[in-house]
Amino acid sequence: MADFLSPAERSARMARIRSNDTLPEVTLRRALHRLGLRYVLHKRGLPGKPDLVFPKHRTVVFVHGCFWHRHKGCKVASSPKSNSQFWTDKFDRNVARDGRVQDELQAQGWRVFVVWECELQSKARTNLRAETLAADIRRVRRT
Ligand SMILES: [Zn+2]
């Protein structure tokens, strides 16, 4: 298939996708911990394998790469020019899967938050994002 990434770029990107311990994510986790939130990593048995699970708050958090998960309006979520039908189909499947996973989790009583990779581009931004996320997680749900 035609490709817009060099093999080196591709393998670097794939490695990042596979790794659950990218540096921005670790920084986010540390900040949340500092803010007093206790989480479980990669808890088994939950739809979509959320990155962070906060059992006490019945909340899960996904850290999504903007490219693969199609962050709306984000410049990282550009579409490759070549083989565009292939990519459109692939992205549509990813987005549909994300939606399904969120529905399943919510049906099980979980609140779902998404943190985008582009929100973690510096340590300062990551710490800020951790603060708003912590506030969201602590907000008492009214159902
Ligand atoms: Zn983004």
Side-chain angles (χ1 to χ4, degrees):
M1 87 194 167
D3 210 336
F4 68 108
L5 292 172
S6 73
E9 286 171 322
R10 164 158 299 275
S11 70
R13 182 165 277 169
M14 296 309 285
R16 287 201 60 203
I17 291 159
R18 267 193 295 271
S19 168
N20 286 309
D21 292 312
T22 61
L23 186 58
E25 198 179 320
V26 171
T27 306
L28 179 74
R29 280 174 1 208
R30 288 206 182 119
L32 289 167
H33 192 268
R34 228 177 11 251
L35 292 163
L37 286 165
R38 296 297 173 260
Y39 51 80
V40 182
L41 290 176
H42 318 128
K43 189 170 153 60
R44 283 168 201 276
L46 286 181
K49 298 192 197 112
D51 296 296
L52 297 170
V53 180
F54 299 83
K56 186 179 145 198
H57 301 276
R58 196 80 182 161
T59 297
V60 302
V61 172
F62 289 95
V63 180
H64 273 347
C66 301
F67 180 78
W68 289 107
H69 295 272
R70 310 316 287 165
H71 187 195
K72 274 203 180 72
C74 176
K75 67 179 189 315
V76 179
S78 60
S79 293
K81 297 277 184 285
S82 65
N83 225 341
S84 61
Q85 190 58 52
F86 167 85
W87 288 105
T88 302
D89 291 347
K90 179 153 188 56
F91 293 148
D92 286 352
R93 280 197 304 276
N94 286 354
V95 170
R97 190 193 319 116
D98 288 343
R100 250 185 345 262
V101 161
Q102 289 205 9
D103 288 348
E104 285 172 35
L105 285 162
Q106 280 161 359
Q108 294 180 20
W110 294 92
R111 288 186 307 171
V112 180
F113 294 112
V114 173
V115 173
W116 295 98
E117 196 175 51
C118 68
E119 297 177 298
L120 310 179
Q121 277 175 350
S122 71
K123 203 160 185 183
R125 290 187 67 179
T126 303
N127 286 332
L128 269 174
R129 186 65 183 93
E131 282 177 27
T132 57
L133 182 62
D136 283 340
I137 291 170
R138 288 209 166 97
R139 191 163 297 132
V140 177
R141 88 175 105 183
R142 304 176 202 283
T143 45

